Amino acid sequence: MQWNARPITLALALLAAASAHAQDTDPTERARGPHGTSQRQAGDGRYDAVGYVAVQPIGAAALAISPNLPVESYAEVTALDSGRTILVRIAETSAVPGAIAAISEGAASQLSVPADRLAAVRIRAVRPSAEDQAALRSAGAAQPRIDSPAALLRALRLQLPQADPGEPLPPPPLPPSQPDPIVDVIPHPVASVAAPAKPPFVLKPPAPKPAQGRYLVQVAALSSLRRAQALAQKLQGFVKAGGGLYRVQLGPFATEAAAERARAEAVRAGFGDARRTTVR
């Protein structure tokens, strides 16, 4: 019987070509990892740092100043001594000497950290829920976060830079554009024997304005009377003391609409936490 060798020769040629194509393919093409939405996209980096923060009088809300996070972003701050964790809103982007960030007195109170010393923390950029964002923007507090476990806190404390967290912080300087406040002074009476060379002065807080309406605008709550007086003088408001804080307020206003206009002007002037309140 006579065989036709032509189909066999053609099949062998096709097999050889397929084998050569398989050898030419780069095998690393299949080892590049996941594709599509599983890959890490550009800009997906997350800020996560361990260090010390200072407490500055920037309001009673949960605010922070960070050189590494944009304004109006949000971060999770964990106190490394207790594990207590809160959400804060980044109110300003600027460097904080000797620390990785600064937090407001309101944030320090929520974390139960001292206001006159550096505090060891972890700061992590997060995207909170719309409800938490709205609460922080209105100077409120976000939903409570779960405390960090002790094992994680021990690991994070090992990452702390060499610093003395017990060293008291110097008071932050007044803003350069803010003039020195003019305050009333009461000299001590001169003694009949020998008067001191330089008699001391007593700082007298201003008396609240008499109420002429029931609506007020609270601009800020500060721990320093001197700073509160300076801000009140600049905004033509007054200072109301209470609970260890000095509240800078505007008004009173006869109508809610007038108070809202004053609040909007304070927000445009840079006081985003300004809110309306009423005379009690």
Side-chain angles (χ1 to χ4, degrees):
M1 175 185 254
Q2 185 175 3
W3 294 91
N4 189 351
R6 204 170 158 189
I8 298 176
T9 305
L10 180 59
L12 291 175
L14 292 174
L15 181 61
S19 176
H21 176 71
Q23 291 176 358
D24 290 340
T25 303
D26 185 1
T28 60
E29 288 293 330
R30 298 187 297 271
R32 289 182 180 176
H35 295 271
T37 57
S38 297
Q39 285 182 310
R40 182 173 179 176
Q41 302 296 320
D44 276 353
R46 291 289 178 264
Y47 177 75
D48 193 340
V50 173
Y52 297 97
V53 295
V55 180
Q56 293 187 3
I58 54 176
L63 301 174
I65 295 174
S66 170
N68 302 300
L69 294 171
V71 174
E72 294 302 325
S73 62
Y74 301 89
E76 199 176 66
V77 182
T78 299
L80 297 190
D81 57 347
S82 64
R84 186 167 297 177
T85 302
I86 64 169
L87 281 175
V88 298
R89 178 169 63 90
I90 306 302
E92 185 180 336
T93 298
S94 61
V96 181
I100 61 173
I103 59 176
S104 65
E105 294 168 315
S109 175
Q110 291 184 38
L111 288 171
S112 298
V113 298
D116 59 343
R117 300 179 186 276
L118 290 173
V121 299
R122 176 194 189 185
I123 300 181
R124 189 168 64 93
V126 296
R127 288 184 183 176
S129 64
E131 292 78 7
D132 284 340
Q133 292 184 31
L136 291 170
R137 285 196 302 268
S138 63
Q143 290 294 323
R145 315 292 280 185
I146 299 176
D147 291 351
S148 295
L152 176 60
L153 295 177
R154 286 194 296 269
L156 293 174
R157 281 193 289 265
L158 294 176
Q159 304 177 31
L160 284 171
Q162 294 297 322
D164 182 10
E167 181 181 356
L169 291 175
L174 287 172
S177 60
Q178 184 172 299
D180 289 331
I182 300 174
V183 296
D184 298 332
V185 293
I186 304 176
H188 280 248
V190 180
S192 56
V193 235
K198 193 174 182 181
F201 294 95
V202 177
L203 194 65
K204 184 175 70 174
K209 291 183 178 180
Q212 298 175 351
R214 60 185 302 265
Y215 299 100
L216 298 170
V217 174
Q218 181 166 308
V219 177
L222 308 176
S223 63
S224 168
L225 174 60
R226 180 183 177 88
R227 289 175 177 274
Q229 287 177 324
L231 181 57
Q233 182 183 11
K234 181 179 179 181
L235 300 180
Q236 298 182 349
F238 63 95
V239 178
K240 181 178 180 181
L245 294 174
Y246 300 95
R247 293 170 174 82
V248 179
Q249 297 182 341
L250 307 178
F253 301 95
T255 64
E256 187 175 358
E260 177 57 27
R261 286 195 296 270
R263 188 199 69 81
E265 291 177 2
V267 171
R268 285 194 295 269
F271 301 95
D273 296 327
R275 60 184 178 86
R276 290 200 317 270
T277 183
T278 55
V279 178
R280 295 179 179 177

